[in-house]
């Protein structure tokens, strides 16, 4: 299967990511014009990991997003359902505790983590609200969540340009740099179908999280949502 559909069948999505694992990081760097590095740093800064804390990085892929938490002294667990991604990640970051897991049935006990985060992966979970509930379950009372995801540009004229880039420019660029360019058609479609900043905040509340705040990055192309699990 070359790419997943918007029904987000877990096997199809996992297979798609297995196929792109080898060149995933460099493709993302090209398609985001290098912005993905800044977005990852913003996530780490907002999570503010402390030495000795346990941090779950869900949909961690190859672990590029996880290593900065380890560098800060936290015990980070990169978790993903794509075995291809995990294999590539383990080769790059052998000291990280890569773990295979489904976002709707996490293989961790209740109240296991001081902080949980998911970057650009919530869209790929079959039921995102159920995924947020699972993240809530494994977070300690008073623990925090940061969700980094594509969102809706705040400036209306730019929004039209952005959508045009997603649907017209992104697939040809992906064909030049990706091992599976058709998967980036799914990427563009899933971004268009994703809720805006307020819509995602409402889903976090529905899943049991407390008051939600969000921070726009790159004019709202990406948004980080932050909340704390009620004690």
């Amino acid at each position: 299967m070359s790419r997943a559909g918007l029904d987000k069948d877990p096997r199809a999505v996992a297979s798609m990511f297995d196929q792109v694992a080898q060149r995933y990081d460099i493709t993302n760097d090209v398609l985001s014009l290098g912005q993905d590095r800044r977005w990852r740093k913003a996530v780490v800064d907002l999570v503010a990991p402390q030495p000795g804390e346990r941090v779950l990085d869900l949909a961690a892929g190859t672990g590029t997003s996880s290593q900065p938490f380890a560098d800060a002294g936290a015990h980070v667990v990169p978790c993903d359902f794509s075995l291809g991604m995990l294999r590539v990640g383990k080769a790059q970051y052998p000291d990280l505790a890569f773990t295979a897991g489904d976002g709707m049935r996490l293989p961790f006990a209740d109240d296991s983590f001081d902080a949980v985060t998911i970057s650009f992966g919530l869209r790929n979970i079959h039921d995102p609200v159920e995924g947020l509930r699972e993240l809530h379950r494994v977070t300690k009372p008073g623990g925090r969540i940061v969700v980094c995801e594509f969102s809706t540009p705040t400036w209306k004229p730019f929004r039209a340009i952005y959508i045009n880039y997603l649907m017209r420019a992104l697939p040809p660029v992906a064909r030049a740099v990706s091992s599976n360019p058709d998967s980036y058609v799914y990427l563009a479609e899933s971004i268009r179908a994703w809720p805006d900043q307020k819509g995602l905040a409402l889903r976090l509340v529905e899943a049991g999280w407390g008051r939600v705040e969000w921070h726009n990055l790159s004019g709202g192309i990406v948004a980080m949502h932050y909340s704390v699990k009620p004690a």
Side-chain angles (χ1 to χ4, degrees), residues 120 147-152 197 200 214-217 220-225:
F120 308 108
V147 178
C148 184
E149 191 52 88
F150 290 107
S151 197
T152 302
Q197 289 87 332
L200 180 52
W214 65 80
H215 307 268
N216 289 312
L217 302 174
I221 288 176
V222 167
M224 298 186 301
H225 285 65

PDB file of all heavy atoms in Angstrom, residues 120 147-152 197 200 214-217 220-225:
ATOM      1  N   PHE A 120       3.018  16.036  15.483  1.00  0.00           N
ATOM      2  CA  PHE A 120       2.649  15.674  14.115  1.00  0.00           C
ATOM      3  C   PHE A 120       2.229  14.211  14.000  1.00  0.00           C
ATOM      4  O   PHE A 120       2.428  13.591  12.970  1.00  0.00           O
ATOM      5  CB  PHE A 120       3.799  15.994  13.149  1.00  0.00           C
ATOM      6  CG  PHE A 120       4.300  17.402  13.283  1.00  0.00           C
ATOM      7  CD1 PHE A 120       5.538  17.671  13.851  1.00  0.00           C
ATOM      8  CD2 PHE A 120       3.516  18.467  12.903  1.00  0.00           C
ATOM      9  CE1 PHE A 120       5.998  18.973  14.009  1.00  0.00           C
ATOM     10  CE2 PHE A 120       3.951  19.780  13.065  1.00  0.00           C
ATOM     11  CZ  PHE A 120       5.191  20.028  13.616  1.00  0.00           C
ATOM     12  N   VAL A 147       0.919  19.050  22.731  1.00  0.00           N
ATOM     13  CA  VAL A 147       0.589  18.508  21.412  1.00  0.00           C
ATOM     14  C   VAL A 147       1.044  19.525  20.374  1.00  0.00           C
ATOM     15  O   VAL A 147       0.604  20.676  20.390  1.00  0.00           O
ATOM     16  CB  VAL A 147      -0.927  18.263  21.267  1.00  0.00           C
ATOM     17  CG1 VAL A 147      -1.241  17.750  19.854  1.00  0.00           C
ATOM     18  CG2 VAL A 147      -1.420  17.284  22.315  1.00  0.00           C
ATOM     19  N   CYS A 148       1.923  19.115  19.489  1.00  0.00           N
ATOM     20  CA  CYS A 148       2.375  19.968  18.389  1.00  0.00           C
ATOM     21  C   CYS A 148       1.809  19.382  17.104  1.00  0.00           C
ATOM     22  O   CYS A 148       2.056  18.209  16.802  1.00  0.00           O
ATOM     23  CB  CYS A 148       3.899  20.030  18.352  1.00  0.00           C
ATOM     24  SG  CYS A 148       4.558  21.163  17.100  1.00  0.00           S
ATOM     25  N   GLU A 149       1.049  20.182  16.393  1.00  0.00           N
ATOM     26  CA  GLU A 149       0.368  19.651  15.211  1.00  0.00           C
ATOM     27  C   GLU A 149       0.162  20.757  14.185  1.00  0.00           C
ATOM     28  O   GLU A 149       0.123  21.938  14.522  1.00  0.00           O
ATOM     29  CB  GLU A 149      -0.976  19.054  15.638  1.00  0.00           C
ATOM     30  CG  GLU A 149      -1.690  18.241  14.577  1.00  0.00           C
ATOM     31  CD  GLU A 149      -0.836  17.165  13.952  1.00  0.00           C
ATOM     32  OE1 GLU A 149      -0.781  16.044  14.480  1.00  0.00           O
ATOM     33  OE2 GLU A 149      -0.216  17.466  12.906  1.00  0.00           O
ATOM     34  N   PHE A 150       0.058  20.361  12.921  1.00  0.00           N
ATOM     35  CA  PHE A 150      -0.309  21.322  11.889  1.00  0.00           C
ATOM     36  C   PHE A 150      -1.670  21.919  12.231  1.00  0.00           C
ATOM     37  O   PHE A 150      -2.531  21.257  12.803  1.00  0.00           O
ATOM     38  CB  PHE A 150      -0.352  20.645  10.524  1.00  0.00           C
ATOM     39  CG  PHE A 150       1.003  20.254  10.017  1.00  0.00           C
ATOM     40  CD1 PHE A 150       1.398  18.918   9.988  1.00  0.00           C
ATOM     41  CD2 PHE A 150       1.893  21.217   9.571  1.00  0.00           C
ATOM     42  CE1 PHE A 150       2.648  18.557   9.526  1.00  0.00           C
ATOM     43  CE2 PHE A 150       3.150  20.865   9.108  1.00  0.00           C
ATOM     44  CZ  PHE A 150       3.525  19.533   9.088  1.00  0.00           C
ATOM     45  N   SER A 151      -1.856  23.194  11.886  1.00  0.00           N
ATOM     46  CA  SER A 151      -3.081  23.871  12.274  1.00  0.00           C
ATOM     47  C   SER A 151      -3.510  24.832  11.177  1.00  0.00           C
ATOM     48  O   SER A 151      -3.181  24.635  10.002  1.00  0.00           O
ATOM     49  CB  SER A 151      -2.879  24.588  13.613  1.00  0.00           C
ATOM     50  OG  SER A 151      -4.114  24.911  14.190  1.00  0.00           O
ATOM     51  N   THR A 152      -4.218  25.890  11.554  1.00  0.00           N
ATOM     52  CA  THR A 152      -4.805  26.814  10.587  1.00  0.00           C
ATOM     53  C   THR A 152      -4.098  28.161  10.649  1.00  0.00           C
ATOM     54  O   THR A 152      -4.095  28.801  11.705  1.00  0.00           O
ATOM     55  CB  THR A 152      -6.304  27.013  10.873  1.00  0.00           C
ATOM     56  OG1 THR A 152      -6.960  25.745  10.835  1.00  0.00           O
ATOM     57  CG2 THR A 152      -6.926  27.943   9.846  1.00  0.00           C
ATOM     58  N   GLN A 197      -7.161  25.536  15.775  1.00  0.00           N
ATOM     59  CA  GLN A 197      -6.603  25.609  17.124  1.00  0.00           C
ATOM     60  C   GLN A 197      -7.674  25.389  18.191  1.00  0.00           C
ATOM     61  O   GLN A 197      -7.480  24.606  19.133  1.00  0.00           O
ATOM     62  CB  GLN A 197      -5.910  26.970  17.319  1.00  0.00           C
ATOM     63  CG  GLN A 197      -4.620  27.129  16.541  1.00  0.00           C
ATOM     64  CD  GLN A 197      -4.799  27.635  15.119  1.00  0.00           C
ATOM     65  OE1 GLN A 197      -5.829  27.425  14.487  1.00  0.00           O
ATOM     66  NE2 GLN A 197      -3.784  28.308  14.593  1.00  0.00           N
ATOM     67  N   LEU A 200      -9.011  21.707  18.293  1.00  0.00           N
ATOM     68  CA  LEU A 200      -8.153  20.746  18.986  1.00  0.00           C
ATOM     69  C   LEU A 200      -8.207  20.970  20.493  1.00  0.00           C
ATOM     70  O   LEU A 200      -8.208  20.009  21.273  1.00  0.00           O
ATOM     71  CB  LEU A 200      -6.716  20.855  18.479  1.00  0.00           C
ATOM     72  CG  LEU A 200      -5.714  19.898  19.124  1.00  0.00           C
ATOM     73  CD1 LEU A 200      -6.198  18.447  19.067  1.00  0.00           C
ATOM     74  CD2 LEU A 200      -4.343  20.025  18.459  1.00  0.00           C
ATOM     75  N   TRP A 214      -2.879  27.540  23.768  1.00  0.00           N
ATOM     76  CA  TRP A 214      -2.109  27.177  22.576  1.00  0.00           C
ATOM     77  C   TRP A 214      -1.228  28.336  22.141  1.00  0.00           C
ATOM     78  O   TRP A 214      -1.492  29.500  22.434  1.00  0.00           O
ATOM     79  CB  TRP A 214      -3.004  26.695  21.435  1.00  0.00           C
ATOM     80  CG  TRP A 214      -3.944  27.702  20.838  1.00  0.00           C
ATOM     81  CD1 TRP A 214      -3.654  28.669  19.917  1.00  0.00           C
ATOM     82  CD2 TRP A 214      -5.350  27.823  21.111  1.00  0.00           C
ATOM     83  NE1 TRP A 214      -4.783  29.386  19.588  1.00  0.00           N
ATOM     84  CE2 TRP A 214      -5.838  28.887  20.303  1.00  0.00           C
ATOM     85  CE3 TRP A 214      -6.239  27.136  21.942  1.00  0.00           C
ATOM     86  CZ2 TRP A 214      -7.176  29.264  20.318  1.00  0.00           C
ATOM     87  CZ3 TRP A 214      -7.572  27.523  21.958  1.00  0.00           C
ATOM     88  CH2 TRP A 214      -8.023  28.571  21.153  1.00  0.00           C
ATOM     89  N   HIS A 215      -0.162  27.953  21.439  1.00  0.00           N
ATOM     90  CA  HIS A 215       0.827  28.898  20.939  1.00  0.00           C
ATOM     91  C   HIS A 215       1.012  28.631  19.452  1.00  0.00           C
ATOM     92  O   HIS A 215       1.332  27.500  19.059  1.00  0.00           O
ATOM     93  CB  HIS A 215       2.170  28.736  21.664  1.00  0.00           C
ATOM     94  CG  HIS A 215       2.059  28.788  23.164  1.00  0.00           C
ATOM     95  ND1 HIS A 215       2.203  29.951  23.875  1.00  0.00           N
ATOM     96  CD2 HIS A 215       1.807  27.806  24.079  1.00  0.00           C
ATOM     97  CE1 HIS A 215       2.063  29.699  25.161  1.00  0.00           C
ATOM     98  NE2 HIS A 215       1.813  28.401  25.313  1.00  0.00           N
ATOM     99  N   ASN A 216       0.801  29.642  18.626  1.00  0.00           N
ATOM    100  CA  ASN A 216       0.980  29.486  17.184  1.00  0.00           C
ATOM    101  C   ASN A 216       2.443  29.618  16.804  1.00  0.00           C
ATOM    102  O   ASN A 216       3.175  30.458  17.341  1.00  0.00           O
ATOM    103  CB  ASN A 216       0.162  30.532  16.434  1.00  0.00           C
ATOM    104  CG  ASN A 216      -1.321  30.270  16.519  1.00  0.00           C
ATOM    105  OD1 ASN A 216      -1.776  29.151  16.294  1.00  0.00           O
ATOM    106  ND2 ASN A 216      -2.101  31.292  16.855  1.00  0.00           N
ATOM    107  N   LEU A 217       2.870  28.788  15.875  1.00  0.00           N
ATOM    108  CA  LEU A 217       4.214  28.856  15.309  1.00  0.00           C
ATOM    109  C   LEU A 217       4.091  29.062  13.802  1.00  0.00           C
ATOM    110  O   LEU A 217       3.171  28.534  13.168  1.00  0.00           O
ATOM    111  CB  LEU A 217       4.989  27.566  15.588  1.00  0.00           C
ATOM    112  CG  LEU A 217       5.162  27.168  17.060  1.00  0.00           C
ATOM    113  CD1 LEU A 217       5.823  25.795  17.144  1.00  0.00           C
ATOM    114  CD2 LEU A 217       5.993  28.206  17.805  1.00  0.00           C
ATOM    115  N   GLY A 220       0.743  30.171  12.495  1.00  0.00           N
ATOM    116  CA  GLY A 220      -0.383  29.257  12.665  1.00  0.00           C
ATOM    117  C   GLY A 220      -0.322  28.025  11.783  1.00  0.00           C
ATOM    118  O   GLY A 220      -1.226  27.189  11.840  1.00  0.00           O
ATOM    119  N   ILE A 221       0.723  27.897  10.972  1.00  0.00           N
ATOM    120  CA  ILE A 221       0.913  26.643  10.226  1.00  0.00           C
ATOM    121  C   ILE A 221       0.954  25.482  11.206  1.00  0.00           C
ATOM    122  O   ILE A 221       0.425  24.399  10.962  1.00  0.00           O
ATOM    123  CB  ILE A 221       2.211  26.693   9.384  1.00  0.00           C
ATOM    124  CG1 ILE A 221       2.034  27.639   8.195  1.00  0.00           C
ATOM    125  CG2 ILE A 221       2.603  25.302   8.890  1.00  0.00           C
ATOM    126  CD1 ILE A 221       3.296  27.810   7.385  1.00  0.00           C
ATOM    127  N   VAL A 222       1.595  25.741  12.336  1.00  0.00           N
ATOM    128  CA  VAL A 222       1.714  24.763  13.411  1.00  0.00           C
ATOM    129  C   VAL A 222       1.237  25.419  14.697  1.00  0.00           C
ATOM    130  O   VAL A 222       1.420  26.629  14.891  1.00  0.00           O
ATOM    131  CB  VAL A 222       3.181  24.293  13.550  1.00  0.00           C
ATOM    132  CG1 VAL A 222       3.408  23.534  14.839  1.00  0.00           C
ATOM    133  CG2 VAL A 222       3.572  23.434  12.349  1.00  0.00           C
ATOM    134  N   ALA A 223       0.617  24.639  15.566  1.00  0.00           N
ATOM    135  CA  ALA A 223       0.225  25.137  16.882  1.00  0.00           C
ATOM    136  C   ALA A 223       0.620  24.119  17.944  1.00  0.00           C
ATOM    137  O   ALA A 223       0.526  22.904  17.721  1.00  0.00           O
ATOM    138  CB  ALA A 223      -1.278  25.403  16.949  1.00  0.00           C
ATOM    139  N   MET A 224       1.072  24.623  19.086  1.00  0.00           N
ATOM    140  CA  MET A 224       1.355  23.786  20.242  1.00  0.00           C
ATOM    141  C   MET A 224       0.245  23.996  21.270  1.00  0.00           C
ATOM    142  O   MET A 224      -0.046  25.124  21.653  1.00  0.00           O
ATOM    143  CB  MET A 224       2.696  24.150  20.878  1.00  0.00           C
ATOM    144  CG  MET A 224       3.895  23.957  19.982  1.00  0.00           C
ATOM    145  SD  MET A 224       5.445  24.246  20.895  1.00  0.00           S
ATOM    146  CE  MET A 224       5.209  25.954  21.430  1.00  0.00           C
ATOM    147  N   HIS A 225      -0.375  22.916  21.701  1.00  0.00           N
ATOM    148  CA  HIS A 225      -1.410  22.954  22.726  1.00  0.00           C
ATOM    149  C   HIS A 225      -0.826  22.405  24.027  1.00  0.00           C
ATOM    150  O   HIS A 225      -0.185  21.347  24.026  1.00  0.00           O
ATOM    151  CB  HIS A 225      -2.632  22.155  22.306  1.00  0.00           C
ATOM    152  CG  HIS A 225      -3.481  22.824  21.269  1.00  0.00           C
ATOM    153  ND1 HIS A 225      -3.022  23.073  19.984  1.00  0.00           N
ATOM    154  CD2 HIS A 225      -4.748  23.319  21.327  1.00  0.00           C
ATOM    155  CE1 HIS A 225      -3.973  23.675  19.297  1.00  0.00           C
ATOM    156  NE2 HIS A 225      -5.026  23.830  20.075  1.00  0.00           N
TER     157      HIS A 225
END
